Structure formats: structure tokens, C-alpha cells
Amino acid sequence: MASVLRFRKLCFLEPAKCSSYDEKIKKTDKKQLFETHKIDGKNYESANVSLLEEKPNKQHQRRPPKEWKCIDSCCWTIGLLCTLWWLLLFVYHCLPANLPGLQPPEPPGARLKRSGVTALHPVVMVPGIVTGGLELWEGRPCSDGLFRQRLWGGSFTEIFKRPMCWLEHLSLDNETGLDPPGIRVRAVPGLVAADYFAPGYFVWAILIENLARIGYEGKNMYMAAYDWRLSFQNTETRDQTLSRLKSKIELMYATNGYKKVVVVPHSMGVLYFLHFMKWVEAPPPMGGGGGPGWCAKHIKSIMNIGPAFLGVPKAVGNILSAESKDVAFIRAMAPGLLDSEILGLQTLEHVMRVSRTWDSIISLVPKGGETIWGNLDWSPEDHACDSATHRQFDMKGNDTDGRRGFQVHESTKYGRIVSFGKPASEVHSSEFPSLRSQKKGSLHNATPPVASCGKVWTEYDDLSRETISKVFENKAYTAGTLLDLLRTIAPKMMRRAEAHFSHGIADDLDDPKYNDYKYWSNPLETKLPEAPDMEIYCLYGVGIPTERSYVYKESPPGRCKSIPLQIDSSADGNKNGCLKGGVYFVDGDESVPVLSAGFMCAKGWRGKTRFNPSGIATYVREYKHKAPANLLEGRGLESGAHVDIMGNVALIEDILRVVAGASSVELGGDKIYSDIMKMSEKINVRL
């Protein structure tokens, strides 16, 4: 009997040793507890039952409240916004299409078709930087299962599944600017290459749909996809992209009744096609061998959307610190999302490491030096800003001459594209040493580099402390001294890229050196082809604050960082100023300032000039930005933003009319709302 009781004790009492008891029992140890209960059938059962009854009380105990951190709030907020957004989309698409208030406006293609507009000239579309899809053809072991899957464009799911593998395969070789060993990533072919950047985010899709409504299809519409990471000449060296574009235009010309082609490039694509026009007429092996009359024979019009002819200051921020105004804002509001010390993500360092292998970024660095972009005390846009709202330029309507008026409150020194500290962006140049007296190369390393304490290598790791100090001592950089700064902080990138791109203004365009392909994408260092019947349009949005110059500061001291510079998001101007969050703004389409988008059509190529010897007609067509009235409008039917303008009804209608054979007179010629003409008059370029 004793052995049976011991067995029952082992089976029933031992598991209850962690059960909850009242305050009196909690103070009694296990030995005393067993002594208070007689081990016989009756008393033991009652003790066992009481223990079993008290055991579930543990489940009702309150756990100590979990500490709520900032990252938890961010994750919950992002998750809530995403859920609400997808829920609204689901409800919207489930509602009947004929419900009052939900009927979309009639597409311009359908409206023009009713008025007799039909397909006539073949159309070639040239996407810009980052908007074209890239797919994997060969990769490292970590990329198993991704053959011919999109690494760029599409769902971007691989960022979350295998981020380091994804970054490795998007990088190019730091020495050659081509594929790293064992990796082949290529542009997605066809119209699907750039119709949507991500699910639901259109790029060319709306324009393609409206072209189809007036009769276009695969035989007379082509997307000239290319690997936008490469330098323009390297797209031919590696993929023969320029040769394939030449053949496709010739084929479309021959198979569509010998109708000339209308080319529609966007953003950086305008520079790519400018390079193509020189390449196609140049003799082999450097060129395509088409001869001096090829463009005149095959091209009717070039309709440049959001053209970045003279570069964009955004490219400078990307090279210096992998930042733009949006990134700087996030960094200021929620530093834990980007700062390596808190989450260990080193996001900006990874972005910089990868993007500095992309030579195409250098093609977007401002061109023309101080003549175009201004010096320490002057710039064409000195009186072109009214940011009283700090969010949207104050639209005053059309003046009698068709331009948009701005209220002028202060003169801003936009010529200082990069300033270190707010005072350096405002004071007269006499208050700090002039950069013009600086000798080229004076910023090169003088002492051994300082070892990086981060895990991500950037070119900053190779710079000495003395070099970084000299960068800050110079206070401000203009477009004339900016290249020397970039050569200092990104030496490998600049050595590679400067073999493919140039950023000056030609003194003598007949100099044989300008036959080199490095000059072909700079409109200030090359001639347009001999094609007097061709037309060139500059189509872009206005009325959106656009980045023009930056106020920088040194990254906080005492912290382990691979990037020593960052935009000073605490730098703000007065209530009527153009400085907000460390960024000076001018008029533009949010990415490209009006100066870069419109100057060549407004002045550089207008009439017969040394840049346009055959007098190709050029036109400026601006589109006033109007934000969407509600969420159901999506990204807006009258948007002037750099990418959203691809859905602008007025722009689409202009393109459809031209491809259907309309002349510039029928289109209405120039349509100008900005101060591009006044800016152009201030720029003293020999024409």
C-alpha cells in the first residue's frame, strides 16, 4: 500500500509543484505542504483536488506589460496604412463601374478616335532611369529559382526574401562598369519592360493604352528597353542595344508605308536617345554607320517628356550621401529607420555601395558649369521662388504673355549647389575663400585612410581625415567646382564614368575631339543631326517645388558611420524663403528643374545655332500641375510630376495628335507657364 501511495504521489503531486497557491501556501515550502495533509485515501484526495483546482489560476495571472518601442509604432502604422489602402482598392474595384461618381472620364484616345484621329507614324518609346524592368539570366547560388525573374520592377519580393543577394545582383563591377563575374542581369524586353514599375503604379501603361485606342499595336509601337544602369555606350558594347534600336526603327519605317518614326523618350531616356542620334550616324566601329542623313530619313519628331538635358541636382545628393529631400525628411523624423547604430540596417550605405556602380547616374550630374547653373553669387533663378506655403508653389494664373507669375520675396544663391552649413549658402562669396582659386586635385588624400567601423564598404572608407576636413573647409561648391568634389569623394566611380560622359560647354564643335562618344549625350558639346524637317518638343510639368541645391553638414560625431555627410534637415529659411529641410527649391516637375528641362528648346536649339546647324524646329510645352481632387482620381489626370505626367490627359493628347500626323501649328506651338524664357535670357552662351 505504501508503494502505491508513493507512486500516486509521484504521478499527481510532482506536476503540481509550480501551481499557484494563496499567500499563505506560497510562504510554505513543499515539505511543509505535504506534512499538513495526511497521506491517506480521503485526506490525500482532497489535497490533490485542491491542487488541481488551483492549477488553472496560473493562466489568469497578468503578464507584465510589454514595453512599446518606436519601431513597434512605425510597423503598426505602416501595416495599418497598407491594409487600409488595399481595402479601399478592393472595395473600389468591387463596386459597379456605372455607379454615379465612380465613372472615369473618357480617355483621350477614345475621344480623339471619334474625331477621326488614327495611327499614322510608328512610335518608339525610350524609358528613363530606374523605370525599366531588369531580369536575371545568370547568378550566384543564392539566386536559385530566379532565372528570368524580375529583380527590378514588378513585385520586388526578393528584397524581403534575400536582400543581400538582391543587392549583389543589381551591382555592376566597380572597375569595368559591366557585369561582375558569374552574374548576368538584362533589361526586360517588350512593352512590359516599363508599362508598370510596380503593381498598380503605371509608367507608360496609360500612354500605351491610349495609343492602342487609335490603332497602335506591336507592329507600329516599340519600347526601346535598355539596361539603365550602364553607360550609354556600354549598352551597345555588352547588349548591342543601339544596333537593335537602329534596326527596329528601319524595320518600322519600311513596314509602315515609309512613314517616319515619332520617338517619345522620358527623363534620362532623352539623353540616351541624344547619344543614339550621334552614334547611328557615326562611322563604325564607334558608331552605327548610318551616315549623315539617317535621322532626317527615319525620324519625324522627338517628343521629350520630363527631359533632363542639362542634368539634375538630385544626382549630386545621391552620390554624396544617397539622399534626397524625402530621405532627409525620414532621417530627421525617424532616424531609427536608417541609422545603422539603432537597427544595424545601414540602409543608405547599401544604397550608396550599389548605386555607385551605376555609371548612368553620372550622366545626370549638372552640365554646363557656372555658365548655366550660376556661380557663388548669381544664378538664372535668383528671383524665381515663392514658397510661402512651403508645400506648393503659389499659382497666380497666366499673365498676359502666357507665363505663370511668382511673388518674389528674396534673392537666393542657387549657384551654390552644395553648401556646408546654412551661413555658407547665404553669405557673400567674399566672406570665405573663393573656390576658383582652388587647384584641381587639391582635395586628394594626404594621409592614410581611416578604417571604417561599419560593415558596408563605401568609397568614403578610402578617404583620409584630412581630405574630409578639406571638403568641409571649402564651404560651397558650384557646378564648376562640383566635379572636383565628386572626384574626391567618389574617385572610382568618376574615373570610370568620366570615360563615358562629359559635362562642359564646347568652344569649337568642329574640334575632332568631339567625335568621341563621351560627348554625345551632352547637348552643349554636340550638334543635332542635319534634319531640317524634324521637330523637337520639350514636354514637362511645372508648379512643383523641385530640388535645386543643398545644405550639408557632417554626420553626428562619435557615431560609427561610413557616410560622413548628410543633408542638414534642420536648415530652414524664413517663412517666404525657398529653403526647407536643408534643400533649396525652384520651379519644376519635382525631379527636373525648369532650367534643365526647357533651356535647350527655349534657347540652345531655338533657330539655327551652332548646336542646331540645320535649324530643327523646337517647341516648349509645359503642363501646369494640378493635384488629384480625391483618392479615386489616383495620381491625377492633370499632374505635372515627373512620372505621374505620363497619365496627364493634355500631354497624352498632344502626343496622339503628333503621331497621327498633326503639325506643330495644329498643336499650338509653345505653351509656357514658367519663367524659362527669362532664365534663358540671363544665360550667356555663345550660340
Side-chain angles (χ1 to χ4, degrees), residues 221-423:
M221 180 169 54
Y222 175 68
M223 180 71 72
Y226 60 98
D227 190 337
W228 44 262
R229 302 172 301 162
L230 301 174
S231 69
F232 302 155
Q233 191 69 11
N234 272 345
T235 64
E236 173 65 16
T237 301
R238 194 193 73 178
D239 303 331
Q240 291 74 55
T241 307
L242 299 175
S243 294
R244 288 188 282 115
L245 177 56
K246 174 178 179 284
S247 299
K248 188 65 177 181
I249 291 177
E250 291 171 345
L251 177 64
M252 294 173 73
Y253 171 76
T255 58
N256 286 276
Y258 298 98
K259 298 295 183 184
K260 294 182 181 180
V261 173
V262 174
V263 184
V264 188
H266 174 242
S267 189
M268 190 187 75
V270 305
L271 301 177
Y272 186 75
F273 194 75
L274 190 64
H275 180 99
F276 169 81
M277 287 194 294
K278 293 296 292 184
W279 174 88
V280 74
E281 294 189 344
M286 187 182 296
W294 191 94
C295 291
K297 179 181 179 180
H298 294 93
I299 301 175
K300 174 190 184 291
S301 302
I302 307 174
M303 307 198 75
N304 303 287
I305 304 176
F309 281 123
L310 301 180
V312 291
K314 260 188 174 182
V316 178
N318 181 280
I319 298 171
L320 287 181
S321 59
E323 288 181 289
S324 62
K325 65 179 177 66
D326 300 322
V327 175
F329 176 78
I330 294 173
R331 200 173 190 178
M333 297 302 295
L337 293 178
L338 298 175
D339 287 349
S340 60
E341 286 73 23
I342 296 179
L343 293 181
L345 297 179
Q346 292 189 281
T347 307
L348 296 180
E349 285 82 357
H350 282 298
V351 170
M352 176 174 288
R353 176 177 64 87
V354 175
S355 64
R356 281 197 179 182
T357 67
W358 300 343
D359 290 345
S360 58
I361 291 179
I362 299 300
S363 73
L364 295 173
V365 170
K367 303 177 179 67
E370 295 182 358
T371 302
I372 299 294
W373 295 91
N375 55 31
L376 292 173
D377 295 313
W378 169 87
S379 67
E381 310 102 325
D382 271 347
H383 301 288
C385 176
D386 172 23
S387 58
T389 64
H390 289 293
R391 293 184 181 180
Q392 185 70 31
F393 283 111
D394 185 18
M395 304 298 293
K396 302 298 180 183
N398 293 347
D399 294 335
T400 54
D401 62 352
R403 300 189 184 98
R404 180 176 51 79
F406 282 104
Q407 291 184 350
V408 178
H409 297 281
E410 62 176 13
S411 177
T412 305
K413 297 176 174 60
Y414 289 115
R416 305 174 189 187
I417 295 180
V418 176
S419 302
F420 289 101
K422 183 183 174 183

Side-chain angles (χ1 to χ4, degrees), residues 615-674:
I616 297 172
T618 62
Y619 303 95
V620 176
R621 302 279 293 177
E622 296 181 342
Y623 304 88
K624 250 189 319 191
H625 174 72
K626 182 179 178 181
N630 53 62
L631 288 175
L632 296 180
E633 274 193 37
R635 287 152 61 193
L637 301 176
E638 299 179 67
S639 175
H642 189 61
V643 177
D644 296 353
I645 197 174
M646 303 288 279
N648 186 296
V649 172
L651 177 134
I652 293 174
E653 185 170 330
D654 284 348
I655 294 174
L656 296 187
R657 290 186 181 279
V658 170
V659 300
S663 66
S664 57
V665 175
E666 295 174 281
L667 207 63
D670 291 332
K671 183 177 68 174
I672 300 175
Y673 298 102
S674 73

Side-chain angles (χ1 to χ4, degrees), residues 565-607:
L565 315 177
Q566 69 180 75
I567 294 175
D568 186 0
S569 56
S570 65
D572 288 319
N574 57 47
K575 66 178 182 179
N576 293 324
C578 298
L579 175 62
K580 181 67 175 178
V583 181
Y584 282 98
F585 294 96
V586 291
D587 192 11
D589 68 0
E590 197 172 38
S591 292
V592 183
V594 164
L595 177 65
S596 178
F599 174 77
M600 293 309 298
C601 284
K603 182 175 181 178
W605 290 331
R606 183 71 48 118

Side-chain angles (χ1 to χ4, degrees), residues 437-473:
S437 63
Q438 199 179 72
K439 293 182 180 180
K440 186 176 180 179
S442 63
L443 297 176
H444 287 180
N445 289 2
T447 60
V450 179
S452 170
C453 52
K455 296 180 181 179
V456 183
W457 179 88
T458 66
E459 289 192 75
Y460 280 115
D461 301 331
D462 294 339
L463 301 183
S464 67
R465 295 186 186 277
E466 182 179 352
T467 301
I468 297 296
S469 298
K470 285 186 176 181
V471 167
F472 283 102
E473 287 172 2

Side-chain angles (χ1 to χ4, degrees), residues 477-496:
Y477 293 84
T478 66
T481 55
L482 184 63
L483 291 176
D484 194 35
L485 171 64
L486 298 182
R487 293 185 191 105
T488 302
I489 57 97
K492 286 188 176 181
M493 182 183 196
M494 294 300 290
R495 277 197 301 270
R496 224 179 37 243

Side-chain angles (χ1 to χ4, degrees), residues 94-144:
C94 287
L95 291 174
N98 58 355
L99 195 67
L102 292 183
Q103 295 179 1
E106 185 180 24
R111 186 176 67 255
L112 292 176
K113 182 180 180 181
R114 285 204 319 274
S115 63
V117 174
T118 58
L120 182 62
H121 295 276
V123 177
V124 171
M125 294 166 282
V126 186
I129 192 170
V130 310
T131 54
L134 301 174
E135 61 185 18
L136 181 71
W137 280 81
E138 180 184 3
R140 304 281 165 78
C142 66
S143 65
D144 288 345

